[in-house]
Amino acid sequence: MKSTVETQVFENIADLRQWRCRLRYKDNFDRQPIVGFVPTMGALHQGHMSLVQKALQECSHVVVSIFVNPIQFVKGEDFDKYPRPFEKDLELCVRAGVHAVFHPTCEQMYPNGQASLTRVVPPGELTGHLCGAFRPGHFEGVATVVAKLFGQVEPNYAYFGEKDYQQLVVVRRMVADLDLPVAVVASPTVRESDGLAMSSRNVYLNSGERAVAPVLHQTLLTVSKNATSKALTLQEALADGRRKLEQVPGLTLQYLEACDAITLEPVAECKHPMVVLVAAKLGDVRLIDNIIVPKI
Ligand code: PAF
């Protein structure tokens, strides 16, 4: 069913700001709006739309940004070929009843270029391992653009998926360290029926790679079960998971690690709260996933 909300589309920051300002001062002088924000790089799937639905339930106005952020891609990554189906994304936002879609250009976001830019540098203990070790500079690019988007949208609540768990921890820490007036809301990973975590990059998988991709989720479930049932120690469970993944044809394991779910510090033994995270390449496609291990 189509929504009755008329979705505004903003291509530049000044127009977005004007809308945001009017929301606060003109139309809603008596009752302040609650703005929910879902930052995305587009190629929207059910994972993104679950964040949008949550935001719509909890906020009076919802903004979705669609911006493929060049400064979070490491040299040699897929910035140029990253999917950009803007019309389809917009249609999904309109149907859902999103109030505003912010779709800036790189020139709008980085008017002084990318080389000389004031950047947000998250602490090394959060970004030096896991994905950060394989994508140097990535989280600096994420934190910088998210800080800029927060300044432009001025949300009360910002919604992030748990699939990008390290990103979620980095953003939470940035908000805390910089006293940004926004509450970060995390939402569970949305999965295909065979367990594969939804991701805009899944479209790159060929049919053979797609068939084996759920092995990441299955391995996380097995590690969690083996460690919590005490069938194996945590380190044995991780070693067993790594061994199995390394035997999958076409799969290159980058990491399978257990970390404190709040600080992301690697843990030697089971503790609570704990997250097990994995990254692997299937052919050229890099996939990540994680599981929050239930309390024993
Ligand atoms: O998760 C993403 O899609 C991106 O990293 C984000 C948060 C939109 C920043 O570009």
Side-chain angles (χ1 to χ4, degrees):
M1 201 179 60
K2 233 176 166 129
S3 146
T4 51
V5 170
E6 199 184 319
T7 307
Q8 309 285 318
V9 181
F10 300 112
E11 307 261 326
N12 72 66
I13 298 163
D15 292 344
L16 171 74
R17 277 191 189 288
Q18 200 181 37
W19 173 82
R20 183 65 182 88
C21 203
R22 198 173 296 143
L23 214 59
R24 183 181 298 122
Y25 294 113
K26 205 159 163 232
D27 304 338
N28 292 291
F29 208 73
D30 298 331
R31 209 158 54 101
Q32 284 296 296
I34 305 291
V35 174
F37 176 42
V38 183
T40 81
M41 298 206 302
L44 304 181
H45 48 69
Q46 281 174 50
H48 295 113
M49 297 319 288
S50 75
L51 300 178
V52 168
Q53 290 305 339
K54 194 167 165 68
L56 283 165
Q57 278 159 19
E58 295 176 356
C59 305
S60 65
H61 294 78
V62 172
V63 181
V64 172
S65 66
I66 297 178
F67 176 62
V68 184
N69 174 34
I71 68 166
Q72 72 185 74
F73 287 78
V74 174
K75 219 170 172 203
E77 287 189 344
D78 55 344
F79 173 69
D80 289 329
K81 77 164 194 178
Y82 197 85
R84 291 166 170 84
F86 180 68
E87 291 309 321
K88 201 167 147 237
D89 288 346
L90 182 57
E91 178 61 22
L92 283 172
C93 290
V94 168
R95 279 188 169 276
V98 166
H99 299 79
V101 171
F102 180 42
H103 183 228
T105 60
C106 282
E107 289 69 34
Q108 276 281 320
M109 291 297 278
Y110 304 116
N112 299 315
Q114 297 165 33
S116 103
L117 175 70
T118 305
R119 290 171 189 254
V120 177
V121 184
E125 73 261 22
L126 293 186
T127 60
H129 62 331
L130 306 172
C131 288
F134 293 87
R135 307 185 73 190
H138 167 70
F139 289 111
E140 195 176 304
V142 169
T144 302
V145 81
V146 171
K148 280 172 71 66
L149 289 164
F150 283 178
Q152 293 154 355
V153 176
E154 294 184 62
N156 302 93
Y157 295 93
Y159 294 80
F160 290 84
E162 282 173 352
K163 194 200 133 231
D164 295 298
Y165 200 86
Q166 195 171 10
Q167 166 173 285
L168 173 66
V169 173
V170 164
V171 170
R172 279 199 165 127
R173 180 67 181 271
M174 173 183 78
V175 164
D177 285 353
L178 302 183
D179 300 313
L180 301 180
V182 51
V184 173
V185 183
S187 233
T189 302
V190 179
R191 299 183 180 280
E192 303 287 355
S193 55
D194 58 9
L196 175 64
M198 288 198 185
S199 161
S200 304
R201 288 189 168 99
N202 289 353
V203 294
Y204 298 151
L205 295 168
N206 67 31
S207 59
E209 291 160 352
R210 176 64 190 81
V212 296
V215 73
L216 294 182
H217 180 54
Q218 287 153 11
T219 304
L220 291 169
L221 288 171
T222 308
V223 170
S224 171
K225 191 163 148 241
N226 281 338
T228 51
S229 67
K230 298 204 167 54
L232 298 175
T233 66
L234 177 60
Q235 293 311 319
E236 287 167 346
L238 288 168
D240 178 65
R242 287 183 196 118
R243 208 168 27 245
K244 288 197 176 124
L245 286 173
E246 277 158 1
Q247 281 164 10
V248 175
L251 186 146
T252 311
L253 178 64
Q254 291 192 334
Y255 63 77
L256 175 67
E257 300 288 351
C259 292
D260 179 295
I262 312 287
T263 65
L264 273 194
E265 214 175 306
V267 294
E269 291 167 13
C270 274
K271 63 162 296 196
H272 184 73
M274 182 173 84
V275 58
V276 179
L277 309 100
V278 67
K281 281 184 105 170
L282 267 174
D284 285 340
V285 190
R286 187 171 187 277
L287 299 176
I288 59 171
D289 202 350
N290 66 79
I291 190 167
I292 297 167
V293 179
K295 195 167 184 184
I296 312 152

